[in-house]
Amino acid sequence: MKKYETKVLKASEESVKLAGELIRSGEIVGIPTETVYGLGGNALESTSSKKIFEAKGRPSDNPLIVHITEIDEVTPLVRDFPYLAKKCAEKFWPGPLTMVLPKSDLIPLETSGGLDTVGIRMPSDSTARAIIKAAGVPVAAPSANLSGSPSPTEAVHVFNDMNGRIPLIIDGNNSAVGVESTVISFENNAIRVLRPGFVSPEDLTEITPNVIIDDGVINMLSKDAVVKSPGMKYKHYSPDADIVIIDGALDKYIEYIKNNASESDCCMVFDGDELDVKNPIITYGRDSEEQAALLFSTLRKLDFMGIKKVYARCPSKDGVGLAVYNRLLRAAGFKVIRV
Ligand code: TXA
Ligand code: MG
């Protein structure tokens, strides 16, 4: 698909203004955010949302997140802004948290993937905020990758996936968080985590002790399961390489590699892990925050290296680690071996 001469412009006052104008006029622009790069369009226009789905090759029942810059902008977009949601907004916005709320008629069904709800987030990245303000409309933005491939954390990743599909990419900061926002919904007096992210379940307990982690976060959903967050049912974040997660201590991991891997298989381990194996080795950070920041670029590197099979050490499942584990599980198609 080659519809556009895709321009990549460094973030500046002029390029931000141009991005805002393009979005307001119905076009789609690649934009930096602190979580991952997004594909931004006017959230209030069904035609813009359709263009986003087309550029990504994304199933149209997978809803888009709507990005704003001020808490006041929530009210016209929703039918209800419950107390717990207001508390979350005050504590975690601007930042990597998306809240699913009942949508108002301003949000077209194309944006909400046919749902009666809308996911809303206020990003903290200064370029993202400047672009949304310049657009003067709420900005619908999924991650700016082709559907199924790892989310982009650098402008060049967006270019690799979207060249010819969109008119403009704004090259800003690399995404510091590195995994997409935490997605939550509200029920009775509880918060349900639909997708884990940098705002961890532990962080959310500061708002209420009733934090539920949805089954879909670490379990494979059957094809016809009723999912609360449609994004969770799709195979995701996958490099071409076949990934298997090895869950266990480093010595057990090494033993497994020595007994099972062929020499061209790649070991994807943590920085600081010492292993005397002949296999190619790639590392993805020491602690959970570093792993979040590096996971997607590491997955893209595997393809660049032409790796066919990868044995990945299993990340911690606590705090931000849960988000890393959730993404890696999907990249691995849920293949986990406990050692
Ligand atoms: O960090 C992020 O959230 C990034 C940046 C660009 O802001 N965006 C992002 O969007 O990750 P996307 O489209 O790749 O993922 C959106 C996720 C999907 O899993 C989707 O199912 C869920 O959020 N979601 C969005 N709206 C929802 C809704 N109304 N109800 C349930 N889940 C929703
Ligand atoms: Mg995505």
Side-chain angles (χ1 to χ4, degrees), residues 111-132:
T111 301
S112 71
L115 298 175
D116 193 31
T117 53
V118 59
I120 304 181
R121 156 165 133 80
M122 186 196 290
S124 61
D125 180 87
S126 56
T127 306
R129 297 176 64 79
I131 292 171
I132 300 165

Side-chain angles (χ1 to χ4, degrees), residues 156-220:
V156 63
H157 301 160
V158 183
F159 185 78
N160 290 342
D161 279 17
M162 291 297 151
N163 184 21
R165 293 172 174 259
I166 56 175
L168 176 65
I169 297 166
I170 300 296
D171 182 356
N173 293 325
N174 289 355
S175 302
V177 172
V179 289
E180 306 85 343
S181 61
T182 307
V183 179
I184 60 173
S185 63
F186 302 91
E187 46 193 73
N188 305 322
N189 246 332
I191 295 176
R192 178 178 290 272
V193 178
L194 300 174
R195 179 177 73 179
F198 191 80
V199 175
S200 67
E202 292 85 337
D203 294 335
L204 293 166
T205 57
E206 290 172 33
I207 303 291
T208 167
N210 307 321
V211 176
I212 304 161
I213 299 179
D214 196 78
D215 273 351
V217 166
I218 54 168
N219 296 310
M220 184 158 36

Side-chain angles (χ1 to χ4, degrees), residues 56 58 142-143 145 151 180 195 236-237:
K56 269 183 77 82
R58 173 170 173 148
S143 49
N145 50 290
S151 299
E180 306 85 343
R195 179 177 73 179
H236 252 152
Y237 318 118

Side-chain angles (χ1 to χ4, degrees), residues 10 56 72 84-85 124 146 218 229 236 246 274 278 322:
K10 287 267 177 223
K56 269 183 77 82
D72 291 349
L84 278 186
S124 61
L146 285 174
I218 54 168
S229 181
H236 252 152
I246 307 295
E274 287 186 16
K278 298 203 178 73
L322 184 65

Side-chain angles (χ1 to χ4, degrees), residues 19 23 29-33 36-40 128 131-132 139 141 144 168-170:
I23 291 172
V29 179
I31 64 173
T33 90
V36 299
Y37 271 69
L39 270 189
I131 292 171
I132 300 165
V139 172
L168 176 65
I169 297 166
I170 300 296

